[in-house]
Amino acid sequence: VMNVITIEDYKSTYWPKLDSAIDQLLTQSPGDYIPISYEQIYSCVYKCVCQQHSEQMYSDLIKKITNHLERVSKELQASPPDLYIERFNIALGQYMGALQSIVPLFIYMNKFYIETKLNRDLKDDLIKLFTEHVAEKHICNLMPLLLEAQSTPFQITPSTMANIVKGLYTLRPEWVQMAPALFSKFIPNVLPPAVESELQEYAAQDQKLQRELIQNGFTR
């Protein structure tokens, strides 16, 4: 028989363990080894769900991650323009990487509280937090810098550009309308099909890209 976990036990013993693990997952760099016991955290979540602390735990998790993302957003605001794109890419990658560990750890809470009581999904909720607290606040600064970087070959790596554009599309597909040509380079079928009358324009764009490549030392 499981010992009763009071709300005081939850606040003084169980949540601090979860809090510390979430902290480490949110701030790790890709490839870092984190000295946390996944089994212990998983078991902690399971016990709290069984003892009816899901609502409190969900509320604590959302508050914790929101505070983290508000800090991330402030740090990005302080970034100089030449580092802004790269730092946004790191923040996005780090957060999406953290979710790959955080979401499975809270699988019981997701199954027995978020899905059944709230009719939602934890991963969707956490992605929405990044959209609201980071991406929406930065999209108007980020998009002109991405367009400028796109028109200056090799200003940022193609993989960084691809990660950000695909990431923004995942967060909010309608952002395509802000820069359709940019999104179409990385997301299939976001533009309407080519029409014959525009073929000359496509050819001119292609020739412009070829010229830029040659100017930057790339031979055909």
Side-chain angles (χ1 to χ4, degrees):
V1 178
M2 199 180 285
N3 292 332
V4 173
I5 299 172
T6 64
I7 189 68
E8 285 73 26
D9 294 336
Y10 165 82
K11 285 180 175 170
S12 64
T13 307
Y14 288 83
W15 176 251
K17 279 184 196 167
L18 297 173
D19 186 282
S20 158
I22 296 160
D23 249 344
Q24 288 181 288
L25 291 166
L26 286 171
T27 54
Q28 71 175 335
S29 300
D32 274 3
Y33 169 73
I34 299 192
I36 63 172
S37 162
Y38 284 85
E39 205 176 338
Q40 192 187 23
I41 300 305
Y42 194 75
S43 146
C44 213
V45 170
Y46 174 75
K47 286 175 186 168
C48 292
V49 170
C50 292
Q51 299 269 324
Q52 311 296 312
H53 295 300
S54 295
E55 189 176 349
Q56 182 67 51
M57 188 162 51
Y58 176 70
S59 162
D60 287 339
L61 177 65
I62 295 297
K63 191 160 44 171
K64 166 96 190 152
I65 291 184
T66 299
N67 289 341
H68 167 76
L69 290 173
E70 284 175 351
R71 280 196 303 278
V72 167
S73 183
K74 284 199 181 96
E75 284 165 17
L76 277 172
Q77 270 159 357
S79 289
D82 57 330
L83 299 175
Y84 191 86
I85 293 177
E86 196 52 64
R87 286 185 183 169
F88 185 90
N89 185 45
I90 290 167
L92 177 66
Q94 193 174 38
Y95 185 72
M96 292 306 184
L99 292 197
Q100 289 179 355
S101 297
I102 292 170
V103 171
L105 285 175
F106 285 89
I107 192 165
Y108 279 103
M109 181 179 75
N110 193 39
K111 193 171 177 185
F112 294 104
Y113 175 68
I114 303 174
E115 285 181 1
T116 53
K117 297 265 174 73
L118 306 179
N119 296 316
R120 292 206 305 268
D121 175 76
L122 179 60
K123 187 177 181 185
D124 294 345
D125 282 1
L126 297 184
I127 287 175
K128 197 172 164 209
L129 286 183
F130 188 91
T131 308
E132 288 172 0
H133 295 282
V134 182
E136 276 181 2
K137 291 179 181 174
H138 292 273
I139 190 77
C140 292
N141 289 334
L142 185 64
M143 202 53 84
L145 291 171
L146 289 174
L147 290 168
E148 187 190 327
Q150 183 206 11
S151 64
T152 316
F154 320 112
Q155 187 177 323
I156 61 168
T157 65
S159 63
T160 295
M161 184 68 91
N163 287 344
I164 292 181
V165 172
K166 287 175 182 173
L168 291 173
Y169 184 72
T170 303
L171 298 176
R172 179 94 13 117
E174 58 267 33
W175 280 337
V176 165
Q177 289 152 17
M178 294 177 80
L182 174 64
F183 278 86
S184 71
K185 289 190 170 171
F186 303 98
I187 316 284
N189 307 321
V190 295
L191 291 184
V195 288
E196 203 176 333
S197 60
E198 289 172 5
L199 287 178
Q200 277 184 311
E201 193 185 326
Y202 295 134
Q205 283 176 357
D206 190 50
Q207 285 165 351
K208 178 172 175 277
L209 181 63
Q210 298 278 359
R211 283 197 301 276
E212 284 171 355
L213 287 168
I214 291 165
Q215 282 163 8
N216 282 277
F218 281 72
T219 51
R220 282 178 184 276

